Amino acid sequence: MTNIQTQASRTVEIHKGFDLNQEHPEPQPIKKPLPDVQPLPPEIVPDGLRGWLVDIAHSKQVPLDFPTATALTLISGLVGSRLGMKPKRRDDWLVIPNLWGMIVAKPSMMKTPVINDVSKPLKNLEMEAEKVYKAAVNKFGAATERRKIQIERVKKQLKETDTPELLAELESLMSEDEEVPKRKRYLVNDTTIEKLGVIHNENPAGLNLLRDELAGLLASWEKSGHEQDRAFFLEAWNGNGSMQVDRIGRASLFIPNLCLSVFGGIQPAKLAGYFHNVVNDFGNDGMIQRFQLAVYPDPLPNWEYIDQYPDKEAKTKAYRIFEQLATFDPVYLACADEYEEQPYMRFTEDAQPIFRVWLESLEAKIRSNDLPPLLEEHLGKYRSLVPSLALIFHLIDYASFTADESAKPEQCRHGVSSDALQKAIKFAEYLESHAKRIYSTMSDSGQQAAYQLSKRIAEEKLTDGFTVRDIQQKGWHLLTNNNLINEAVETLISADWLTENKPDWTGGRPPASRYSINPKTRDFYKNA
């Protein structure tokens, strides 16, 4: 048989599942299994920020979840370790309100523009701090040069007249130790842990690490040789631990108080891939569960053209709150405690029993054995999430009062209010529904793989007659494992996307099956 005849025979064999001369069956939709999530109730967004965040969400045509999660995470980093929370009435259990968060959304869903808008108050604080730093550096430089000139003058005089007075003056000048100016920082983006440690030691209360795309940061923690990076971030989440950073060829660095807030955006497919790696390759050390303020909302059903001025009054009030929280005195609000160096607050008398009831309910849920392991571990982090949110909500209220000269902020000194706690509990309930959606991205990897394969077929990334090996060689997300690929292919066969063509086999190693594609799947998602 000639090559042309062989190719013709193979073509006939490939298309025997979907005869080109017959009507093709309608392919069934391949859906991604995602649980429903609660929409964010505006009433649990802090009053002082609500108008500004609603305005940003409206102008960008995104869910309110986007700017709210961003703002609360950034404020947690702004407060840092300056003020802690002791949730129980008598116990020494201390929580630092340091939170990590993420926006989970498809590409081009306005994650980055929202993050940029909400982070502007901190960027303004950074610019003001840079001006102060430059002025301090100039003053330090002038003082250093002046001291050098004075030292040279005294040395010259000593050559001519050696007197005790001149020696004393020289000793005084030589012993003067001008403090080197340190730049106040609020935000970092992309840096090594060594440089981050240096910046952190100059800003021991805490920092915000902001990334447009978290996938790169998550992936960097899994690289060989970066084990210490992962340990660094695990410790940084606690907010009150220390860290020794040692690298060959570099000086050791000790960070006495490590507190770092992390926030960014990530695509669902990349997050699912990370989950798959965590479970199958790297092991689960609780890193992803630290992203407590993780939101994965539904996109807005309708888009409308918006062209209006920002709400100036709401924006000014929000920016003022950030400014107040950057400079507030934690000791003013803290409980008096001669045995505790760390300033902290407790709940008010009426809030304390509310917290107890909530915590007992949480512990019962965690111990019920009804939750998937990763979700169970995630909810375990809510023990610190609710007290942290309650303190943050309380501080936002306090900053709102101090921004208003007619208000009396003294009422905030009595403890974290029951109102702040109840909002925090409702916020945690809302976040739990998003956690269930996020962790569902790995709960049915076969269905997820089938969806990914259907997308590639609809985009014509595969041709008729492909094999499992052809798919594996592409290196597509969730489609590199033979078992997952076979499961996905079987799902698409049952949904009339594909038919299997098994070649004749008379002995020896069996040839791979080839798969025919239903022509109606082309542009399936575009027309859906």
Side-chain angles (χ1 to χ4, degrees), residues 300-368:
L300 298 183
N302 298 308
W303 183 90
E304 57 180 305
Y305 183 78
I306 303 293
D307 183 12
Q308 62 187 36
Y309 291 110
D311 186 333
K312 186 176 181 180
E313 182 179 351
K315 182 178 180 180
T316 300
K317 183 177 183 180
Y319 277 47
R320 181 64 175 155
I321 288 172
F322 275 81
E323 292 167 5
Q324 291 290 326
L325 291 177
T327 58
F328 84 99
D329 179 10
V331 177
Y332 175 78
L333 295 172
C335 300
D337 189 342
E338 60 181 309
Y339 302 105
E340 180 71 74
E341 292 184 8
Q342 168 69 55
Y344 67 88
M345 296 189 75
R346 293 190 190 268
F347 288 119
T348 56
E349 288 296 321
D350 62 327
Q352 196 67 62
I354 298 173
F355 176 75
R356 175 176 177 172
V357 170
W358 170 81
L359 184 59
E360 289 173 343
S361 174
L362 175 68
E363 295 294 346
K365 181 184 293 186
I366 292 172
R367 288 164 169 74
S368 67

Side-chain angles (χ1 to χ4, degrees), residues 194-206:
E194 291 84 8
K195 181 61 177 178
L196 188 54
V198 172
I199 297 172
H200 201 297
N201 276 348
E202 295 180 351
N203 298 271

Side-chain angles (χ1 to χ4, degrees), residues 79 83-89 93-97 328 330 332-335 343-356 384-398 401 409-425:
V79 174
L83 185 63
M85 180 71 189
K86 290 193 174 181
K88 293 183 177 179
R89 190 190 305 272
W93 173 29
L94 176 69
V95 172
I96 300 299
F328 84 99
Y332 175 78
L333 295 172
C335 300
Y344 67 88
M345 296 189 75
R346 293 190 190 268
F347 288 119
T348 56
E349 288 296 321
D350 62 327
Q352 196 67 62
I354 298 173
F355 176 75
R356 175 176 177 172
S384 64
L385 171 65
V386 165
S388 296
L389 282 175
L391 178 58
I392 289 169
F393 290 164
H394 185 78
L395 290 176
I396 292 172
D397 289 342
Y398 169 70
F401 284 136
E410 289 82 6
Q411 67 189 62
C412 294
R413 301 182 67 185
H414 301 151
V416 175
S417 68
S418 59
D419 179 65
L421 174 57
Q422 287 171 334
K423 282 185 177 179
I425 291 172

Side-chain angles (χ1 to χ4, degrees), residues 208-429:
N208 274 294
L209 174 63
L210 199 59
R211 295 287 291 262
D212 287 344
E213 180 54 64
L214 279 174
L217 180 65
L218 294 176
S220 71
W221 293 339
E222 318 306 342
K223 292 179 180 177
S224 177
H226 288 258
E227 291 80 9
Q228 193 169 27
D229 292 19
R230 191 176 186 87
F232 179 94
F233 280 93
L234 285 168
E235 190 63 44
W237 178 82
N238 295 321
N240 59 354
S242 60
M243 188 75 181
Q244 180 79 38
V245 180
D246 298 310
R247 290 286 168 88
I248 296 175
R250 299 181 184 179
S252 296
L253 176 68
F254 179 69
I255 307 167
N257 188 70
L258 185 55
C259 181
L260 184 66
S261 178
V262 179
F263 191 84
I266 192 167
Q267 299 171 27
K270 292 184 178 180
L271 182 60
Y274 178 79
F275 278 142
H276 186 267
N277 290 337
V278 163
V279 173
N280 294 287
D281 298 326
F282 309 123
N284 174 31
D285 57 6
M287 178 69 82
I288 198 68
Q289 291 90 334
R290 283 163 165 75
F291 286 88
Q292 298 163 307
L293 279 175
V295 295
Y296 188 177
D298 295 319
L300 298 183
N302 298 308
W303 183 90
E304 57 180 305
Y305 183 78
I306 303 293
D307 183 12
Q308 62 187 36
Y309 291 110
D311 186 333
K312 186 176 181 180
E313 182 179 351
K315 182 178 180 180
T316 300
K317 183 177 183 180
Y319 277 47
R320 181 64 175 155
I321 288 172
F322 275 81
E323 292 167 5
Q324 291 290 326
L325 291 177
T327 58
F328 84 99
D329 179 10
V331 177
Y332 175 78
L333 295 172
C335 300
D337 189 342
E338 60 181 309
Y339 302 105
E340 180 71 74
E341 292 184 8
Q342 168 69 55
Y344 67 88
M345 296 189 75
R346 293 190 190 268
F347 288 119
T348 56
E349 288 296 321
D350 62 327
Q352 196 67 62
I354 298 173
F355 176 75
R356 175 176 177 172
V357 170
W358 170 81
L359 184 59
E360 289 173 343
S361 174
L362 175 68
E363 295 294 346
K365 181 184 293 186
I366 292 172
R367 288 164 169 74
S368 67
N369 294 322
D370 294 333
L371 301 172
L374 286 180
L375 182 60
E376 178 183 297
E377 294 163 16
H378 183 91
L379 294 184
K381 304 296 183 187
Y382 281 27
R383 296 182 182 101
S384 64
L385 171 65
V386 165
S388 296
L389 282 175
L391 178 58
I392 289 169
F393 290 164
H394 185 78
L395 290 176
I396 292 172
D397 289 342
Y398 169 70
S400 300
F401 284 136
T402 53
D404 181 358
E405 296 180 358
S406 64
K408 296 181 178 180
E410 289 82 6
Q411 67 189 62
C412 294
R413 301 182 67 185
H414 301 151
V416 175
S417 68
S418 59
D419 179 65
L421 174 57
Q422 287 171 334
K423 282 185 177 179
I425 291 172
K426 291 178 181 176
F427 209 96
E429 292 172 354

Side-chain angles (χ1 to χ4, degrees), residues 434-445:
H434 287 254
K436 289 176 180 177
R437 169 174 285 189
I438 289 168
Y439 287 106
S440 76
T441 59
M442 63 158 292
S443 62
D444 190 348
S445 55

Side-chain angles (χ1 to χ4, degrees), residues 52-53 55-71 74 103 109-121 123 210 212 263 295:
W52 176 56
L53 298 176
D55 191 54
I56 291 175
H58 178 65
S59 66
K60 296 290 187 291
Q61 292 289 278
V62 298
L64 181 59
D65 316 58
F66 283 19
T68 302
T70 309
L74 293 181
I103 296 172
M109 291 298 291
M110 302 294 284
K111 298 188 295 292
T112 298
V114 169
I115 293 172
N116 287 340
D117 266 14
V118 178
S119 61
K120 280 181 181 178
K123 291 174 181 176
L210 199 59
D212 287 344
F263 191 84
V295 295

